[in-house]
């Protein structure tokens, strides 16, 4: 089970980091905001700070040049994650689902142990998921929250029907919140709960063993 959690997490965060270039442009209706979700702004400065944290970590890696090359569209990938997190948090809250600090710590310890230790785990997530060390707990929280939300709505996420049930819940929440993205970052798709063509962590990656794969360019 521990191996299952670690493998799912590594694939999950790798998918979050993979987002193609979005070049839509238009008027900025919310100056200084990368997106507005449920009336709450995601500031460009906050997004840039997340990107900068990852770039700083990548700069310190022996594979620095390759890591940066593989995450050319890091800003879009990070914004996708930040919006998704807000939709997920609201869906979970509406379903009465919570995640404790203890659950996050336990999941992280298990995943790190399966990776050969905390240092190796952090290096893996930087390489496959474009996560700085300070962003790891957020990724783990996301995984645990998705799994618990699926349970709460009675979805068997090993089946297409179960996955569709969770997606429908997230879609309804996304539509209810209203997601307004600064056009320079693309547009939000309520039906797929993702930014443009970004690849989002669907339930199959979170709840079942997934085969290892090479991360694609972000």
């Amino acid at each position: 089970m521990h191996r299952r959690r670690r493998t799912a997490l590594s694939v999950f965060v790798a998918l979050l980091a993979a987002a193609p270039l979005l070049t839509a442009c238009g008027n900025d209706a919310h100056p200084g905001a990368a997106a507005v979700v449920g009336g709450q702004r995601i500031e460009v400065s906050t997004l840039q700070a997340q990107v900068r944290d990852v770039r700083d970590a990548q700069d310190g890696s022996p594979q620095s040049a390759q890591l940066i090359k593989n995450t050319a569209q890091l800003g879009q990938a990070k914004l996708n994650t930040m919006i998704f997190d807000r939709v997920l948090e609201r869906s979970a809250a509406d379903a009465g689902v919570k995640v404790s600090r203890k659950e996050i710590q336990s999941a992280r310890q298990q995943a790190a142990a399966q990776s050969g230790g905390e240092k190796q785990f952090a290096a893996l997530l930087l390489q496959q998921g474009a996560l700085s060390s300070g962003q790891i707990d957020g990724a783990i929280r996301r995984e645990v929250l998705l799994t618990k939300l699926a349970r709460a709505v009675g979805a068997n996420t090993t089946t297409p029907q179960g996955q569709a049930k969770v997606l429908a819940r997230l879609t309804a929440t996304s539509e209810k919140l209203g997601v307004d993205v600064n056009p320079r970052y693309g547009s939000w798709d309520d039906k797929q709960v993702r930014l443009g063509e970004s690849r989002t962590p669907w339930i199959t990656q979170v709840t079942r063993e997934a085969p290892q794969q090479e991360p694609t360019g972000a």
Side-chain angles (χ1 to χ4, degrees):
M1 181 172 177
H2 293 174
R3 173 177 172 77
R4 184 184 191 179
R5 177 183 294 279
R6 196 274 303 168
T7 304
L9 179 61
S10 64
V11 173
F12 169 68
V13 295
L15 291 177
L16 271 179
L21 178 62
L22 300 172
T23 56
C25 59
N27 294 326
D28 187 353
H30 304 281
V36 178
V37 183
Q40 300 298 311
R41 295 163 60 94
I42 297 176
E43 301 291 346
V44 171
S45 59
T46 303
L47 172 61
Q48 290 173 338
Q50 288 228 357
V51 171
R52 186 166 55 249
D53 285 347
V54 174
R55 293 301 187 212
D56 287 346
Q58 290 174 333
D59 283 342
S61 169
Q63 295 83 36
S64 176
Q66 189 62 43
L67 291 178
I68 293 172
K69 179 181 177 181
N70 288 346
T71 54
Q73 314 311 322
L74 186 57
Q76 283 82 4
K78 287 299 176 185
L79 182 57
N80 180 63
T81 302
M82 295 168 80
I83 297 172
F84 181 84
D85 280 351
R86 294 195 181 194
V87 174
L88 175 59
E89 289 284 351
R90 176 62 68 85
S91 287
D94 289 347
V97 172
K98 297 180 180 179
V99 175
S100 69
R101 180 64 189 164
K102 184 176 180 180
E103 288 176 298
I104 296 172
Q105 290 175 333
S106 176
R108 180 166 181 164
Q109 288 169 358
Q110 292 172 11
Q114 290 298 317
S115 300
E118 182 67 30
K119 184 176 180 179
Q120 291 84 347
F121 182 51
L124 173 70
L125 296 190
L126 177 63
Q127 179 183 15
Q128 294 192 357
L131 290 171
S132 68
S133 59
Q135 295 168 2
I136 294 175
D137 279 359
I140 293 174
R141 175 182 175 80
R142 192 175 308 119
E143 181 200 10
V144 175
L145 202 55
L146 265 171
T147 302
K148 294 182 74 172
L149 175 62
R151 257 188 235 127
V153 301
N156 177 0
T157 55
T158 64
T159 67
Q161 294 84 358
Q163 295 162 26
K165 188 172 184 178
V166 177
L167 175 57
R169 176 63 69 100
L170 293 169
T171 291
T173 301
S174 182
E175 291 174 341
K176 179 174 67 176
L177 282 173
V179 179
D180 183 10
V181 177
N182 186 316
R184 66 176 145 152
Y185 295 105
S187 60
W188 182 255
D189 184 343
D190 286 318
K191 299 301 181 185
Q192 296 299 318
V193 198
R194 67 187 183 188
L195 180 60
E197 295 300 318
S198 301
R199 285 186 287 175
T200 326
W202 283 124
I203 309 304
T204 49
Q205 280 81 40
V206 179
T207 58
R208 68 171 172 80
E209 183 83 3
Q212 291 288 353
Q213 63 183 35
E214 290 298 320
T216 57

